[in-house]
């Protein structure tokens, strides 16, 4: 009798622990999406600056602008991690991984296209491309945040 009694207590304890984990995941997901209002525009601006960097023409100055934009992205991630305790560079599941891969691919493709446009002297197209990438990142970061939160809630 004692063994069945301890088994039921163990099962109840396990259910309670799983419930607490689920509640923690929901709270983390809420904290994660609550910060989108400032993270998405900041990251979108930094990426747009990186894409527009080849428009300055001089390789040294382009490197400085690109480096500063990259530092801004790292700083944004650091501030987000300090405020939420969550690192955004590790997807929580398949949906957030897919969105992150698409965002990284668009950034790389836009930067290469910007370099090609700069070598052809098409500065106005670089600005248009940077503006388009700003919008893609603004929307994409919000989608990533929601996908991350959804993946976080689902993971058990």
């Amino acid at each position: 009798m004692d063994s069945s009694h301890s088994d039921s207590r163990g099962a109840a304890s396990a259910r309670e622990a799983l419930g607490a984990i689920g509640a923690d995941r929901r709270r983390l997901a809420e904290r994660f999406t609550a910060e989108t209002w400032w993270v998405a525009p900041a990251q979108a601006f930094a990426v747009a600056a990186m894409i527009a960097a080849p428009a300055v023409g001089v390789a040294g100055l382009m490197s400085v602008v690109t480096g500063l934009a990259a530092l801004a992205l790292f700083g944004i991630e650091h501030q987000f991690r300090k405020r939420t305790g969550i690192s955004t560079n590790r997807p929580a599941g398949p949906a957030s991984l897919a969105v992150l891969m698409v965002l990284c691919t668009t950034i790389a493709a836009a930067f290469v296209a910007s370099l090609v446009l700069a070598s052809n002297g098409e500065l106005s197209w670089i600005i248009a491309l940077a503006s388009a990438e700003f919008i893609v990142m603004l929307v994409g970061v919000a989608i990533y945040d929601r996908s991350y939160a959804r993946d976080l809630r689902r993971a058990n």
Side-chain angles (χ1 to χ4, degrees), residues 50-59 62 66 109-130:
M50 190 180 297
I51 302 305
V56 297
V58 179
M62 181 188 83
T66 303
F111 188 72
V112 169
S114 182
L115 290 172
V116 169
L117 289 169
S119 69
N120 293 332
E122 301 287 343
L123 301 181
S124 61
W125 282 105
I126 294 173
I127 301 306
L129 181 63

Side-chain angles (χ1 to χ4, degrees), residues 41-118:
Q43 287 178 330
F45 182 74
V47 168
M50 190 180 297
I51 302 305
V56 297
V58 179
L61 189 54
M62 181 188 83
S63 298
V64 169
V65 171
T66 303
L68 289 173
L71 282 174
L73 287 171
F74 287 118
I76 293 164
E77 166 66 18
H78 179 73
Q79 279 300 106
F80 183 84
R81 199 172 338 123
K82 271 178 52 175
R83 289 175 65 131
T84 64
I86 304 168
S87 177
T88 61
N89 57 7
R90 293 186 196 115
S96 55
L97 176 62
V99 173
L100 184 62
M101 289 172 55
V102 167
L103 287 175
C104 290
T105 302
T106 63
I107 292 169
F111 188 72
V112 169
S114 182
L115 290 172
V116 169
L117 289 169

Side-chain angles (χ1 to χ4, degrees), residues 18 21-23 25-26 151-156:
L18 287 173
I21 290 170
R25 287 182 174 281
R26 285 188 295 279
D151 284 344
L152 193 58
R153 286 182 195 112
R154 277 191 214 161
N156 285 327

